[in-house]
Amino acid sequence: MSDNSSVSLPSPSLPHPSAPSPALPSRRLLLGSAAGGALLSAASPVLAAPALAVGRKPAPKHPAAKPAAKPAAKRPAAHPAVPSDAQAAAAIKAEYLHGWNGYCAKAWGYDELKPLSGGHNDFFAPGHTFGLSMVEALDTLYVMGCDAELARSRAWVEAHLDPAQDVDMHVFEAVIRVVGGLLAGHLATRSKALLTRAREFADRLLPAFTSSPTGIPYTHVNLRTGQVQGREVPLAEAGTNMMEFGLLSRLVGDSRYYDASLRAYRAVLARRSALDLLGTTIDAESGRWLDHTSIAPNPPADSFSEYLWGGGKLLNDAQLTQWYRMLTQAVQTHQSDVRGGLPWYHPVDATTGARTGGTVQSELASFYAGLLGKGGDLARGAAYFRSWTAVLERHPVLPETIDYATFGVVDCGAQLRPEYANSAFDLWRLTGDASYKAAAWRWFENMRSNHRVAGGYTVIDDMRPTRPVLGDLTPGYWFAENLKYLWLMFSGTPRFDYRAGILSTEGKILAGVR
Ligand code: DMJ
């Protein structure tokens, strides 16, 4: 993908909670604020990770205003010893609570924490809160046995979460984060109020689907008025709703949510090329492709096929599974690349199959290793996981985007993302292979060494310098995903059914919570 401009995402018509990567389009690249702040000790009560700021002054109260010198980024440890499961689980939980306590202390009731400045961030719209980090955290708190924290969050959500705010809501993010979070919270706690709230949200999101002539959802809908906007729809946003909407339909006995999701899938799949490939962006009103590039498994295509597999599994729907297999086969046939024995995926013109770009890959694509494994192709999944592990051998944390021909950094952010750990979890669950636990532990150590600050965990704006430039944000998904995958791998918690559990793209446990 030498010429990434060929796959650039059309600008959304509304202010977007995500910002485009300079190299690959990303609908979920959350921005931290300007650099600043000092990394503090990464010590944990159980496993003393090396302190990073020996002799350093504590972080100033508002470091964003005046970037502080930071200690050197921890280079990847050769292969750190993996502690016992019990020790690892305790360390993982301690770090989760470190982030959680930061949120509670400085951003309680708001969407997201800014752990350096002690401020907060409105994820969906300025001046509006959905208590996003709490919603994202509900089922993680449950499986970690943090019952007091869960009760407090549940009470806030039940009392204060308002699904009728005058907000132009980003439908994709609202479905995977809010509807999914509420459903997972309901399954974990049996709270009827959480299920009711999930349904209220879904009802207010539905006009994005039902008022679309094709059934492909508009990107935004006003929760209060039902007014829709955003007809240029990235592929993943057209399809990443089946797991939440299908489950909701089943739980409340109302097929409208499942039907809306299926109609959107049908509309997109009917427009696949003769090669069974899909483009990147589609017009919700005309059904025409606005960008013919097949960019999977990179964003913004990534979770479109993830939800065909997940929906098929969760809803026992053979049609969805069959679509997953068809699209996956096409991507393997037309987009596979191999460098140094490692598999990668390059973009092609969906109609002709001609290669349209060079060798750029988004970190977000690393989820695909686990998906390939779950979809039945363990060999390819394991090989793609090795590709990303090789990148981690080179860099202390995974950059947002790399050039897979050189492993060079293309986008130097590191947005505290969970995809590599997600794949480690999926592949470990499928195989029982301890090497995935070792890989996940190493990833955890690198995260703890590089993203931990006194106030919680934060994104990195530039991971290239030996003293990385920190951003100032704990993304909501950090509470849903990163440490949940690790916890489930090491804790052996009885609160999760390891055989039957099914998680959404946002790490929500939509089946198998006990
Ligand atoms: C999360 O919002 C979800 O995992 C999504 O599907 C892709 N990745 C982001 C975090 O990186």
Side-chain angles (χ1 to χ4, degrees):
M1 213 178 307
S2 56
D3 177 15
N4 286 302
S5 58
S6 66
V7 293
S8 66
L9 180 66
S11 328
S13 51
L14 290 169
H16 201 286
S18 305
S21 147
L24 274 173
S26 170
R27 65 191 188 290
R28 287 165 295 196
L29 183 68
L30 299 178
L31 288 179
S33 72
L39 278 171
L40 298 180
S41 165
S44 104
V46 175
L47 293 168
L52 295 180
V54 179
R56 216 168 262 294
K57 285 186 194 156
K61 196 135 182 83
H62 293 288
K66 183 173 163 248
K70 287 177 289 299
K74 296 294 291 180
R75 309 316 295 180
H79 281 284
V82 185
S84 72
D85 280 4
Q87 284 180 313
I92 290 158
K93 185 170 174 176
E95 293 313 302
Y96 189 80
L97 287 175
H98 175 68
W100 179 252
N101 290 334
Y103 169 76
C104 294
K106 300 290 186 184
W108 178 258
Y110 293 99
D111 282 339
E112 293 176 315
L113 168 69
K114 297 171 86 168
L116 286 185
S117 59
H120 54 80
N121 179 55
D122 299 320
F123 178 77
F124 288 102
H128 293 269
T129 181
F130 295 84
L132 180 64
S133 293
M134 278 183 276
V135 177
E136 297 258 33
L138 291 170
D139 64 333
T140 314
L141 291 171
Y142 176 74
V143 293
M144 285 192 179
C146 302
D147 293 340
E149 290 84 355
L150 173 59
R152 189 170 171 230
S153 302
R154 172 185 164 178
W156 188 96
V157 171
E158 290 181 0
H160 301 295
L161 184 53
D162 178 4
Q165 298 182 60
D166 187 10
V167 168
D168 293 320
M169 200 78 166
H170 190 186
V171 175
F172 164 82
E173 299 287 8
V175 169
I176 66 170
R177 293 167 184 259
V178 182
V179 177
L182 293 168
L183 288 173
H186 161 70
L187 295 175
T189 63
R190 298 286 151 197
S191 157
K192 287 210 170 64
L194 292 181
L195 179 59
T196 302
R197 204 67 81 244
R199 188 177 194 173
E200 289 167 355
F201 257 99
D203 285 341
R204 291 178 180 278
L205 296 171
L206 264 186
F209 296 76
T210 54
S211 63
S212 162
T214 61
I216 296 166
Y218 290 92
T219 62
H220 288 75
V221 60
N222 186 288
L223 290 176
R224 181 162 298 170
T225 65
Q227 184 71 39
V228 295
Q229 294 188 59
R231 59 187 284 186
E232 299 180 2
V233 184
L235 185 61
E237 300 192 21
T240 312
N241 39 65
M242 178 53 90
M243 295 184 76
E244 293 82 6
F245 276 14
L247 176 62
L248 179 61
S249 278
R250 181 186 285 175
L251 289 172
V252 301
D254 179 345
S255 70
R256 287 180 305 137
Y257 315 103
Y258 171 83
D259 292 345
S261 187
L262 188 63
R263 180 169 170 245
Y265 261 140
R266 282 206 174 112
V268 174
L269 284 153
R271 291 162 173 85
R272 69 185 182 274
S273 75
L275 301 176
D276 290 334
L277 291 170
L278 301 171
T280 297
T281 313
I282 195 161
D283 185 331
E285 294 186 354
S286 69
R288 282 200 319 271
W289 288 108
L290 301 170
D291 181 341
H292 288 262
T293 310
S294 177
I295 198 172
N298 288 286
D302 44 1
S303 46
F304 183 89
S305 62
E306 182 183 6
Y307 266 38
L308 289 173
W309 181 85
K313 185 91 174 156
L314 183 66
L315 308 170
N316 199 19
D317 186 322
Q319 172 68 86
L320 298 177
T321 307
Q322 192 260 322
W323 281 331
Y324 167 78
R325 296 205 188 296
M326 178 186 74
L327 295 185
T328 302
Q329 181 58 52
V331 168
Q332 298 304 325
T333 302
H334 299 286
Q335 295 183 237
S336 289
D337 199 353
V338 177
R339 295 292 161 118
L342 297 171
W344 299 97
Y345 296 93
H346 63 78
V348 296
D349 181 292
T351 308
T352 65
R355 187 167 183 153
T356 58
T359 52
V360 173
Q361 204 97 139
S362 165
E363 183 279 345
L364 283 152
S366 63
F367 86 97
Y368 197 52
L371 179 61
L372 286 170
K374 289 186 291 191
D377 195 341
L378 256 179
R380 278 206 173 85
Y384 194 50
F385 188 78
R386 283 197 294 279
S387 298
W388 284 102
T389 301
V391 182
L392 263 182
E393 302 271 350
R394 181 76 65 85
H395 300 289
V397 293
L398 288 177
E400 285 294 292
T401 314
I402 58 149
D403 180 339
Y404 64 74
T406 61
F407 288 2
V409 175
V410 176
D411 177 345
C412 60
Q415 304 291 325
L416 262 180
R417 294 199 184 273
E419 287 76 15
Y420 179 82
N422 190 350
S423 279
F425 169 66
D426 287 339
L427 293 167
W428 168 75
R429 204 147 64 105
L430 288 163
T431 62
D433 183 338
S435 71
Y436 294 114
K437 284 171 91 169
W441 180 255
R442 184 179 183 207
W443 176 89
F444 168 75
E445 293 248 53
N446 283 344
M447 182 180 73
R448 185 168 54 177
S449 299
N450 290 286
H451 289 273
R452 191 187 208 268
V453 294
Y457 271 80
T458 196
V459 297
I460 291 173
D461 287 345
D462 188 348
M463 45 67 69
R464 292 169 302 177
T466 48
R467 297 182 174 197
V469 180
L470 296 180
D472 187 14
L473 185 73
T474 312
Y477 53 73
W478 189 84
F479 292 106
E481 297 196 69
N482 299 38
L483 296 181
K484 180 188 280 153
Y485 302 128
L486 271 290
W487 171 257
L488 293 177
M489 291 178 88
F490 287 96
S491 69
T493 175
R495 293 186 173 196
F496 180 68
D497 181 338
Y498 283 83
R499 195 186 53 79
I502 299 173
L503 279 65
S504 75
T505 191
E506 190 75 1
K508 312 300 184 196
I509 304 174
L510 299 184
V513 72
R514 300 199 283 214

